[in-house]
Amino acid sequence: MAGFGVLSVHAHPDDEAIWTGGTLARYADEGARTAVVTCTWAEGTVRAGELERSLDILGAGEPRLLGYADARKPESAPGAPRFLDVPFDEAVGRVVRHIREFRPDVVLTYDGYGAYGHPDHVHVHRVTLAAVEAAGYDQLYPDLGEPWWPRALYLAAIPRSVVVSHWRAVFGADPEPGQTLPGVPDDRITTTLDVGRWGERKWAAMHAHQSELERGASMTLLTGLPEQARAQLLGTEWYRRVGHTGPAETALTA
């Protein structure tokens, strides 16, 4: 595992822990290089400090902040444009630079729905797909480092069966008729990682984002789950593998 690199690209501080925290902790413990690019929030903000603590817990290095503003929180990066409003090529280039610098074997990000539909998540998905492809071309972004081809791209997703089985426990009621639900059909999941051994680390990394817990965000919902349901959600991470240009041993392994 020495030398193997996993780079995770996320929208906000706390996403690295919620969606890929177990994967990052597991691979760091197995000797891989791990890192996280976070597209919103700026250095010096409270949430940037929380991100630093979370990454330290997960063994994922120093924050790699692009410094753009959250779509819904201008205070996340005072004076900076929203990530959604930045020219697409500029955003892609910023991620390309990190890919070429870190030279990962595997890149992680969200699925096409951004896991649950947040506009920043959806945009990160689009930008990351373009950046993973562009990073290998010497003709594209020639001033941003030596070209590098990641060997596989994994999209964090939730099996629809898991969403349905835990909906009432999370939200206190069944979905409304016709309500759009997150998740993908179970047969679209290609990789199911058992990260139960790293569940406590993942939970600790999530709790490093104290301001989000105080705000009553998604992590607060998780704290209210029955222990068994929370253990399942924290102990498993699901992905769709959509790119493969290298040998089979570069795959994430269950």
Side-chain angles (χ1 to χ4, degrees):
M1 191 59 68
F4 188 86
V6 179
L7 178 68
S8 194
V9 184
H10 286 290
H12 315 108
D14 80 5
D15 291 328
E16 80 293 334
I18 295 171
W19 300 104
T20 60
T23 304
L24 292 168
R26 171 181 166 175
Y27 274 82
D29 280 1
E30 292 177 357
R33 300 175 299 114
T34 59
V36 174
V37 173
T38 307
C39 295
T40 70
W41 290 78
E43 292 184 11
T45 59
V46 169
R47 292 194 64 187
E50 293 172 342
L51 173 64
E52 185 173 8
R53 290 190 288 277
S54 172
L55 295 179
D56 183 61
I57 292 167
L58 298 174
E62 296 298 317
R64 295 169 177 260
L65 290 161
L66 300 192
Y68 297 120
D70 183 308
R72 298 166 178 167
K73 298 180 178 65
E75 71 276 12
S76 59
R82 299 192 315 165
F83 179 58
L84 288 176
D85 298 333
V86 173
F88 188 73
D89 282 351
E90 175 186 325
V92 170
R94 297 286 300 280
V95 177
V96 164
R97 182 188 290 276
H98 284 287
I99 291 172
R100 289 179 177 172
E101 176 186 303
F102 187 73
R103 306 179 89 73
D105 296 278
V106 167
V107 175
L108 313 176
T109 193
Y110 318 101
D111 66 4
Y113 188 52
Y116 65 95
H118 192 295
D120 283 337
H121 288 211
V122 174
H123 197 52
V124 167
H125 165 84
R126 295 168 179 166
V127 167
T128 304
L129 259 63
V132 167
E133 178 70 6
Y137 286 87
D138 57 6
Q139 305 97 324
L140 298 174
Y141 304 100
D143 299 328
L144 298 183
E146 290 297 314
W148 178 257
W149 295 98
R151 294 188 172 96
L153 174 66
Y154 286 81
L155 308 181
I158 313 170
R160 183 63 56 80
S161 65
V162 173
V163 173
V164 171
S165 64
H166 292 301
W167 190 272
R168 174 175 282 274
V170 174
F171 297 106
D174 293 328
E176 296 291 334
Q179 181 175 351
T180 299
L181 297 179
V184 299
D186 289 26
D187 63 2
R188 304 306 297 173
I189 298 293
T190 63
T191 305
T192 300
L193 291 188
D194 179 359
V195 295
R197 285 176 52 197
W198 295 270
E200 291 301 318
R201 287 257 297 282
K202 179 175 178 175
W203 192 234
M206 290 167 64
H207 276 75
H209 297 281
Q210 187 63 36
S211 64
E212 284 297 276
L213 288 167
E214 293 171 354
R215 188 172 71 87
S218 56
M219 286 190 291
T220 306
L221 295 174
L222 284 171
T223 63
L225 283 174
E227 184 175 348
Q228 183 177 359
R230 186 170 70 243
Q232 180 185 2
L233 291 174
L234 293 178
T236 309
E237 290 174 357
W238 300 272
Y239 297 94
R240 292 183 55 230
R241 184 176 180 166
V242 297
H244 182 57
T245 61
E249 60 266 25
T250 63
L252 297 182
T253 55

